[in-house]
Amino acid sequence: MPPAPKVVVPAKELSGFVTDLFVRAGVGPEHAATLTDVLIWASLRGVDSHGASRVPRYLEMFESGVANAAPDIRVVSEAAASAVVEADRAPGPVALTVAADEAVNRSRANGIGAVGVRGTVHTGAIGYYTSRIAEAGLVGIGFVAGMPNMSYTGVKGAAVATSPLSVAVPAEGHVPALLDMATAQIALGKIAQFRNAGKILPEGAAATADGVPTTDPNVAKMPLPLGGAKGAGMSLMFELITSVLLGAPILSSFHGDDPAGRKHRQNALLIALDPAAFGGDGFAAAAGTTLETLKGLPRADEDTEIVYPGERSAATARARAAKGVPVAAKVWNELRAAADKLGVTPPQPAG
């Protein structure tokens, strides 16, 4: 049986609707708007696994207390170029937006700004935060560590997290180059998308709870590492330079005797680099030339355009901003159910 067609919702109306849902769930208007910005940014760019489809899960986390709807976020600093954001279980989009802006400010003053985030929940698409840094004319780098939900070479069951990496670089005459990738073959949210769509998973992308590879999204419980030992090793290193560096280990706590070890949480590290501090007064122009050079190289296939990371998703964002955001029928039904529960009127789908 084919999946139900997607519902297309005007971007502005979808954004207002999601913000209203969060406000009714007890989130302050400013934090609700920030959380919505991050999710709709992902939906616009075609990263549907981290977009509107996540709204029901965030609402569940607020209701259960996993996420704090009214966090006391504090910025702790002992050095000019670095700081730590104590998130108090704030949703990741709120905590990491604070961290990104803090990193920008410190980078402008010191050439580099490195800001860790301790004790947040579900960071969302981290490309949003590095893009925010790049839009300020700086180079943005981001790492996230979370709860073990991915296999590790030689280990039975989940051992490490699908920890993502993102790098964003401003380039004159172009949208920023944006790399946003997980250390897994497939994002956990993507497995749910395949399940909702009734599609078979790609070979080597996911496994059962015992680590047996499977293409059945109904029994797949965890992603497999990208490049095998390479992706697993990257995830471990990101745990070391975020969670352990910030004094908030997740992996050892999760697999040890800590009674709170399995309480959902994530940590992050955002870095902003000011090109001017590295002698790069013409950095943005040179970056633009580099991208142009790449795109002008001989094509292996004349019918296949050469693109750089972030270029396609930026084009998707422009198209969806104009025509509306496609939302999976199952997700739309969940959003409507949440609207009924919270007393919010959903927008009318486009066309």
Side-chain angles (χ1 to χ4, degrees):
M1 184 177 182
K6 292 185 177 181
V7 177
V8 179
V9 186
K12 185 176 181 180
E13 282 79 355
L14 181 60
S15 181
F17 173 46
V18 171
T19 300
D20 287 346
L21 288 174
F22 288 137
V23 169
R24 288 297 183 92
V27 181
E30 184 178 349
H31 284 182
T34 298
L35 179 49
T36 298
D37 283 348
V38 177
L39 296 177
I40 301 304
W41 180 90
S43 283
L44 282 169
R45 296 181 72 98
V47 190
D48 296 317
S49 60
H50 286 63
S53 65
R54 290 285 182 171
V55 174
R57 175 57 181 147
Y58 276 102
L59 292 173
E60 288 175 4
M61 289 194 293
F62 288 130
E63 185 174 16
S64 65
V66 169
N68 190 349
D72 176 21
I73 300 175
R74 293 179 291 114
V75 178
V76 181
S77 176
E78 294 184 358
S82 63
V84 174
V85 173
E86 294 280 5
D88 189 29
R89 293 182 294 108
V94 173
L96 268 72
T97 296
V98 171
D101 292 347
E102 189 70 27
V104 166
N105 292 337
R106 290 173 185 264
S107 177
R108 284 179 171 154
N110 302 286
I112 182 172
V115 181
V117 179
R118 184 160 53 205
T120 186
V121 296
H122 196 268
T123 53
I126 67 167
Y128 174 91
Y129 317 109
T130 56
S131 293
R132 190 178 181 95
I133 293 170
E135 286 166 4
L138 310 174
V139 174
I141 305 171
F143 308 93
V144 171
M147 306 299 287
N149 59 358
M150 182 176 77
S151 64
Y152 187 91
T153 307
V155 176
K156 180 180 180 180
V160 292
T162 55
S163 303
L165 157 72
S166 180
V167 181
V169 178
E172 191 173 285
H174 297 271
V175 296
L178 172 63
L179 176 70
D180 185 351
M181 56 172 280
T183 50
Q185 289 280 3
I186 190 172
L188 200 58
K190 282 278 189 182
I191 295 176
Q193 282 188 304
F194 274 85
R195 183 167 56 248
N196 294 340
K199 295 180 179 179
I200 297 298
L201 290 163
E203 291 279 353
T208 65
D210 289 335
V212 179
T214 180
T215 59
D216 184 351
N218 295 301
V219 298
K221 299 299 181 184
M222 64 179 178
L224 291 170
L226 180 67
K230 294 180 180 179
M234 288 173 67
S235 175
L236 176 62
M237 298 308 291
F238 295 170
E239 164 72 4
L240 292 171
I241 65 172
T242 57
S243 304
V244 177
L245 183 68
L246 297 171
I250 293 178
L251 190 152
S252 57
S253 174
F254 181 92
H255 294 296
D257 298 326
D258 184 354
R262 304 219 163 190
K263 184 177 181 180
H264 176 73
R265 62 209 185 275
Q266 293 185 342
N267 300 310
L269 177 66
L270 296 180
I271 301 170
L273 303 175
D274 185 351
F278 297 86
D281 290 339
F283 176 79
T289 299
T290 299
L291 298 181
E292 281 298 320
T293 301
L294 173 71
K295 292 177 68 62
L297 293 175
R299 297 187 185 187
D301 179 354
E302 286 302 318
D303 294 327
T304 303
E305 181 186 4
I306 298 171
V307 296
Y308 62 85
E311 189 175 7
R312 280 204 181 101
S313 58
T316 298
R318 291 192 294 270
R320 289 189 171 189
K323 299 177 180 178
V325 178
V327 179
K330 181 177 184 295
V331 173
W332 183 244
N333 289 335
E334 291 174 346
L335 291 174
R336 288 179 57 116
D340 288 342
K341 179 179 179 180
L342 294 169
V344 175
T345 302
Q348 289 296 317

